[in-house]
Amino acid sequence: MAVTEASLLRQCPLLLPQNRSKTVYEGFISAQGRDFHLKVVLPEDLQLKNARLLCSWQLRTILNGYHQIVQQRMQHSPDLMSFMMELKMLLEVALKNRQELYAPPPPPQFYSSLIEEIGTLGWDRLVYVDTCFSTIKLKAEDASGREHLITLKLKAKYPAESPDCFVDFPVPFSASWTPQSSLISIYSQFLAAIESLKAFWDVMDEIDEKTWVLEPEKPPRSATARRIALVVKPLGIKLSRNIHLWDPENSVLQNLKDVLEIDFPARAILEKSDFTMDCGICYAYQLDGAIPDQVCDNSQCGQPFHQICLYEWLRGLLTSRQSFNIIFGECPYCSKPITLKMSGRKH
């Protein structure tokens, strides 16, 4: 208890007990350099869930609309210090939102300069602008004809403060900015970044167009990995045997074909054949966001299963045996031996 009281005094030095039993605390809570008067009345058992919070009219006004959250925090806080820390964070948020709500509009030159900058860039590059001119979306096309967007969140002190930039890139985009910078300068940096990533996107587009990409289903430009459907397994031996065939002059997809000695069938071709990626137990492709990632080792079978489906199936067989997180059993389709290594997230 002494430790809690010391922590409370350290965090809220202006909030002091008013009686010996310490059931009444009165004083001030500080946030953003301002002090707000309040009083906390605790029951005899000192349980916060039955306490009363009395606020000054200033504090009540600022917390207007947050009453339910305050009550929730009071119900779940283990002690007064924890509640006061929660209340202080909530007050910080309320003050910030209040400042943004009642912030004075930018001067007229803010809008006129932005309109001039957009005009210089070209109105055809403008995708979206909100009524406050605080959010602007611009588009650009790379040398391969791909369209890219950049979203700019302008701050009240623009251009003294740099805007926040949001792009769909596989690497961080950090634009250099000075008070003399403009949309034109940041757009130029955006174009340069796009050009530097062209080769990467060319490789990924070739994979997306010529193979069946299982995950992600609709890859964003920021995605750096692909999960591809294959019709042969395993490939480890060919990979180790042919890795010397990798030629930097060839595309990634062509190198994979040479090294693995296979063709990557496109989705349209596989869907027309007998090949299926649906789970052989639940007959679905996606199950709680997971796709079939367990495949029978028998080359004549190759049936895929969801990990959890195969786990439940094998667990129900009397012939199955388990060693730590590995289960040994028979394939539900071909009855050949199948091994399942369970990951922790599937239990």
Side-chain angles (χ1 to χ4, degrees):
M1 181 66 72
V3 174
T4 303
E5 291 176 5
S7 300
L8 177 63
L9 183 62
R10 184 168 58 254
Q11 297 295 338
C12 304
L14 301 180
L15 185 69
L16 301 173
Q18 303 298 303
N19 56 12
R20 288 181 177 272
S21 57
K22 297 182 180 179
T23 58
V24 179
Y25 282 79
E26 188 170 5
F28 297 87
I29 184 172
S30 302
Q32 294 192 4
R34 298 170 61 185
D35 297 327
F36 301 92
H37 183 262
L38 81 165
K39 184 177 182 179
V40 181
V41 181
L42 301 167
E44 291 185 1
D45 60 3
L46 304 181
Q47 294 296 310
L48 261 294
K49 61 182 180 181
N50 298 318
R52 287 189 299 139
L53 177 64
L54 308 174
C55 304
S56 63
W57 70 267
Q58 294 101 331
L59 185 56
R60 240 186 354 257
T61 301
I62 294 169
L63 292 177
N64 183 33
Y66 295 88
H67 176 74
Q68 187 174 357
I69 300 177
V70 172
Q71 289 296 323
Q72 185 184 42
R73 296 294 188 270
M74 190 176 288
Q75 288 288 323
H76 295 91
S77 295
D79 50 53
L80 182 57
M81 188 205 73
S82 300
F83 170 70
M84 290 302 298
M85 295 302 297
E86 295 265 16
L87 183 62
K88 186 172 183 178
M89 287 189 289
L90 185 61
L91 182 56
E92 294 275 1
V93 172
L95 285 170
K96 183 177 183 296
N97 292 339
R98 191 176 179 84
Q99 289 171 359
E100 292 177 353
L101 183 63
Y102 295 102
Q109 56 265 32
F110 171 85
Y111 300 100
S112 60
S113 62
L114 277 178
I115 291 174
E116 183 180 346
E117 290 174 24
I118 295 173
T120 304
L121 277 173
W123 287 94
D124 58 320
R125 293 173 176 171
L126 179 66
V127 176
Y128 169 84
V129 59
D130 64 0
T131 55
C132 301
F133 274 70
S134 60
T135 301
I136 297 176
K137 291 185 180 180
L138 301 170
K139 66 180 180 179
E141 192 174 279
D142 63 22
S144 297
R146 290 177 290 256
E147 186 176 281
H148 304 273
L149 297 178
I150 180 171
T151 301
L152 304 172
K153 298 282 188 180
L154 306 187
K155 301 172 185 176
K157 295 182 180 179
Y158 175 89
E161 286 185 311
S162 64
D164 293 327
C165 304
F166 302 92
V167 295
D168 189 16
F169 285 177
V171 293
F173 175 69
S174 300
S176 58
W177 187 267
T178 67
Q180 291 74 40
S181 297
S182 64
L183 295 182
I184 301 167
S185 61
I186 209 166
Y187 188 78
S188 299
Q189 297 176 64
F190 176 55
L191 290 177
I194 289 174
E195 187 58 32
S196 69
L197 291 166
K198 177 186 175 298
F200 167 77
W201 284 320
D202 285 344
V203 170
M204 303 310 284
D205 279 356
E206 183 185 18
I207 293 174
D208 293 339
E209 292 168 7
K210 298 181 179 179
T211 69
W212 182 354
V213 176
L214 301 175
E215 288 185 310
E217 286 191 24
K218 296 180 179 179
R221 292 296 174 197
S222 56
T224 59
R226 300 290 191 272
R227 187 170 187 173
I228 302 171
L230 299 176
V231 293
V232 289
K233 184 180 184 294
L235 300 172
I237 296 175
K238 291 181 180 179
L239 178 63
S240 59
R241 184 178 64 202
N242 298 332
I243 192 64
H244 67 281
L245 298 176
W246 191 281
D247 186 354
E249 298 298 322
N250 293 337
S251 68
V252 171
L253 184 58
Q254 186 59 51
N255 275 314
L256 288 174
K257 290 179 179 180
D258 295 340
V259 171
L260 300 178
E261 299 178 2
I262 61 171
D263 284 325
F264 289 82
R267 183 186 186 112
I269 297 174
L270 285 180
E271 287 182 333
K272 292 177 183 176
S273 69
D274 294 332
F275 180 82
T276 177
M277 276 303 296
D278 293 339
C279 175
I281 296 173
C282 72
Y283 302 109
Y285 178 61
Q286 285 206 351
L287 179 65
D288 296 331
I291 68 172
D293 57 359
Q294 305 297 313
V295 181
C296 177
D297 290 329
N298 180 9
S299 59
Q300 302 299 317
C301 177
Q303 177 63 45
F305 306 97
H306 291 114
Q307 187 182 95
I308 188 63
C309 292
L310 187 57
Y311 170 73
E312 295 294 341
W313 174 277
L314 294 176
R315 195 173 63 165
L317 296 179
L318 296 177
T319 55
S320 298
R321 59 188 180 86
Q322 182 168 352
S323 175
F324 298 101
N325 65 329
I326 301 177
I327 302 178
F328 304 88
E330 295 179 353
C331 172
Y333 270 63
C334 67
S335 299
K336 295 295 183 181
I338 192 169
T339 302
L340 173 64
K341 185 176 182 180
M342 289 296 300
S343 61
R345 61 184 178 88
K346 293 291 182 182
H347 282 293

